[in-house]
Amino acid sequence: MRVVIDETLCEGNAECMKIAPEVFVVGDDDRARLVVDPPPEALRARIEAAVRRCPRQAIALRE
Amino acid sequence: MLQLDPYAWEFHEDPYPTYRRLRDEAPLYRNERLGFWALSRHDDVLAGFKDTAHLSNADGVSLDRAVDGAASDRASFLAMDPPRHDEMRGLVARGFTPKRVADLEPHIRAIATAHIDRFIERAECDFIREFAGPLPMDVVSELLGVPGEDRDRLRALAETLLHRKDGIAGIPPAAADAARSITAYFRDLVVARRRQPSGDLASALLAAELDSARLSERDVIAFLFLMIIAGNETTTKLLGNALYWLWRNPAARDAVRADPGLVPGWIEETLRYDSSTQMLARTVRGGVAFHGRTLPDGDRVLLLVGAANRDERVFADPDRFDVRRDASAHLAFGRGTHFCMGAALARLEARVALEEVQRRFADFEIEPSGLVRVHSINVRGYAAMPIRFTPCTITRSIPRSA
């Protein structure tokens, strides 16, 4: 599982961090990044929720 | 017969039964007379927001045509598609992230307190005209650089701009005049800031460069125009709708009074239940398929946000106002490319404003005979809302922000 964050789209709304803090963190630059890469398969459901809920649709899940 | 007329005042009174029928009977609805399609189910509206390749913003987000001589929504980044949209939005978006706007909290609370102080001893006020209207106007004006003495006039112009006549498609002359007056106002402001820059957004935009060229005067005016409408009117409506639905739901009201930590839930449920922005238009590029039909190039499509937010396919018991529910799937701020840039600011303003309401006049009563509804094809809410209350003498603690 590969998770890709589009830095040009991300505006630091931090919804991903609320849904899956083990995977996403929003830095001081107001951009989300991965805490672990690749993230563990066990967290797939919450990662998918973060992809859906991202306000700017900046997160993509690649198998 | 099932009909959706965004200009009908009767529809504005309670659009929700129409939305329900649209979702069930005509999820892809066609209005031949007014020449548009409408999508009402949550999954379709969400797909519509995400498909910027086939559903363009370039013709604006309202069914109405552009006003000649006005820098209305046709010229701002809201009326652009990627990649130009992303570049223009990128110039200002970093100033509106949740972290950046959080710094404004003490300032917003001071504005809210100052407005409440003006009417608290009267034990009554017009909640819209004396609080929900001026508060977001003050916040956005200070960001943009609009002086205090001009704000009431600009707010009145913004209200006139949105007003539509009952059942009559198109922009009334007064609304077109208001659009031109707001444009002229910002043209003067831009000229003044060019002569003497200050620390506001108008000055920053004049200095900003894109592709190593300065923004045109028209671009800057369009920016300011968008901010004063999108960044102001919608928040006013959110505050009014929040107060109204809490008043109509005694259980929710008791819950929020007992636990001010429920204010964010109250705000999110208001955004879902009775969203300020009810519908947004798009224009088909190339062709796009919904429910087995291909909509042709150039056709207009309405994304019915207000209908999506009541979709029982996503929200259980959707017509119940419940400040404790998980409302986070609501589409009040859109999703994707055009997700409301001011969402974090709107949420902060609403939280601070409604915390202060709870702290200082939690026992308010609305005078229903004095309610005046706004009649707009995009925005839903009140223009006047008289209330009575007992001023609180006990100062309750302000909850810490999350």
Side-chain angles (χ1 to χ4, degrees):
Chain A
M1 178 172 51
R2 254 191 83 215
V3 177
V4 182
I5 300 167
D6 186 330
E7 285 216 350
T8 61
L9 286 179
C10 176
E11 286 178 357
N13 286 289
E15 293 296 327
C16 54
M17 193 166 78
K18 281 182 220 156
I19 295 167
E22 307 91 329
V23 180
F24 302 98
V25 64
V26 174
D28 287 336
D29 61 352
D30 272 329
R31 285 186 170 90
R33 59 179 62 86
L34 295 172
V35 180
V36 279
D37 192 8
E41 190 62 37
L43 296 172
R44 175 179 284 271
R46 278 197 285 143
I47 292 167
E48 284 171 351
V51 170
R52 275 198 309 277
R53 284 295 157 76
C54 173
R56 296 213 74 214
Q57 298 290 292
I59 311 169
L61 189 56
R62 310 236 168 96
E63 299 312 310
Chain B
M1 203 189 92
L2 178 55
Q3 193 188 260
L4 170 63
D5 179 357
Y7 297 93
W9 286 16
E10 193 190 352
F11 168 71
H12 299 163
E13 274 314 311
D14 184 6
Y16 296 103
T18 305
Y19 289 155
R20 176 182 286 273
R21 287 193 59 195
L22 287 168
R23 287 191 306 266
D24 290 344
E25 299 168 31
L28 175 64
Y29 168 81
R30 175 70 185 167
N31 186 317
E32 283 297 340
R33 181 174 66 90
L34 295 169
F36 67 84
W37 302 92
L39 295 166
S40 48
R41 287 189 188 166
H42 188 279
D43 60 350
D44 291 329
V45 174
L46 181 56
F49 276 131
K50 284 155 74 166
D51 190 359
T52 53
H54 301 101
L55 291 169
S56 164
N57 277 42
D59 294 332
V61 297
S62 164
L63 268 189
D64 292 322
R65 307 202 147 275
V67 175
D68 289 337
S72 42
D73 65 336
R74 299 305 146 90
S76 74
F77 66 82
L78 181 59
M80 290 176 190
D81 296 322
R84 182 71 177 165
H85 163 273
D86 301 349
E87 294 167 1
M88 291 290 271
R89 176 174 169 134
L91 291 174
V92 286
R94 292 282 139 202
F96 290 87
T97 65
K99 228 178 272 180
R100 289 288 299 279
V101 300
D103 296 341
L104 296 174
E105 178 164 347
H107 177 63
I108 294 170
R109 200 172 297 277
I111 293 172
T113 300
H115 284 296
I116 293 175
D117 285 347
R118 266 178 225 131
F119 59 71
I120 189 82
E121 284 181 8
R122 278 182 6 233
E124 50 90 28
C125 76
D126 185 319
F127 185 72
I128 305 294
R129 292 189 174 130
E130 296 181 73
F131 187 67
L135 174 96
M137 189 69 193
D138 281 343
V139 174
V140 77
S141 292
E142 283 172 30
L143 292 174
L144 299 185
V146 172
E149 64 269 23
D150 298 339
R151 294 174 192 171
D152 283 346
R153 186 177 145 250
L154 264 183
R155 204 174 83 72
L157 285 170
E159 260 190 22
T160 307
L161 169 75
L162 293 173
H163 182 79
R164 294 293 175 270
K165 300 223 157 117
D166 190 8
I168 300 173
I171 303 173
D177 285 344
R180 283 186 281 265
S181 298
I182 297 171
T183 305
Y185 178 82
F186 283 127
R187 186 171 295 124
D188 291 346
L189 186 77
V190 162
V191 168
R193 289 302 184 278
R194 205 188 280 288
R195 214 174 288 141
Q196 192 171 6
S198 83
D200 54 38
L201 192 66
S203 306
L205 286 167
L206 282 168
E209 286 188 3
L210 207 59
D211 305 327
S212 54
R214 289 280 168 90
L215 296 185
S216 70
E217 195 168 281
R218 181 173 178 270
D219 285 336
V220 176
I221 294 168
F223 249 116
L224 301 174
F225 196 112
L226 174 65
M227 299 280 170
I228 215 76
I229 303 299
N232 175 35
E233 279 298 313
T234 46
T235 310
T236 297
K237 278 35 174 193
L238 167 59
L239 293 175
N241 293 344
L243 201 76
Y244 180 81
W245 290 113
L246 199 73
W247 177 67
R248 285 285 302 273
N249 290 275
R253 187 170 170 169
D254 291 344
V256 174
R257 201 182 324 209
D259 178 8
L262 286 173
V263 168
W266 173 20
I267 295 164
E268 294 307 310
E269 178 64 343
T270 304
L271 287 165
R272 182 195 72 84
Y273 190 81
D274 207 13
S275 178
S276 307
T277 301
Q278 288 282 302
M279 53 185 76
L280 291 161
R282 297 288 190 262
T283 304
V284 177
R285 287 286 179 260
V288 67
F290 282 99
H291 295 277
R293 257 191 103 141
T294 300
L295 316 188
D297 184 76
D299 272 19
R300 312 256 18 229
V301 182
L302 282 180
L303 303 176
L304 301 177
V305 174
N309 286 347
R310 294 276 192 114
D311 191 342
E312 44 288 285
R313 293 156 193 83
V314 173
F315 303 101
D317 201 0
D319 296 328
R320 201 164 76 86
F321 184 81
D322 178 1
V323 298
R324 285 199 168 90
R325 81 161 72 224
D326 176 6
S328 60
H330 75 69
L331 299 175
F333 293 122
R335 192 71 61 86
T337 296
H338 294 284
F339 177 80
C340 177
M341 194 181 75
L345 180 59
R347 283 176 162 135
L348 175 63
E349 286 182 46
R351 179 171 62 73
V352 169
L354 296 175
E355 280 170 4
E356 291 303 314
V357 166
Q358 281 302 303
R359 206 164 66 82
R360 302 189 64 185
F361 50 94
D363 72 336
F364 71 94
E365 292 294 333
I366 291 173
E367 177 47 54
S369 63
L371 284 170
V372 177
R373 184 165 284 294
V374 169
H375 291 290
S376 151
I377 55 167
N378 291 92
V379 175
R380 175 172 172 77
Y382 293 97
M385 182 180 283
I387 64 169
R388 283 173 286 109
F389 54 83
T390 313
C392 284
T393 45
I394 312 147
T395 306
R396 287 194 275 155
S397 65
I398 298 158
R400 293 291 106 220
S401 56

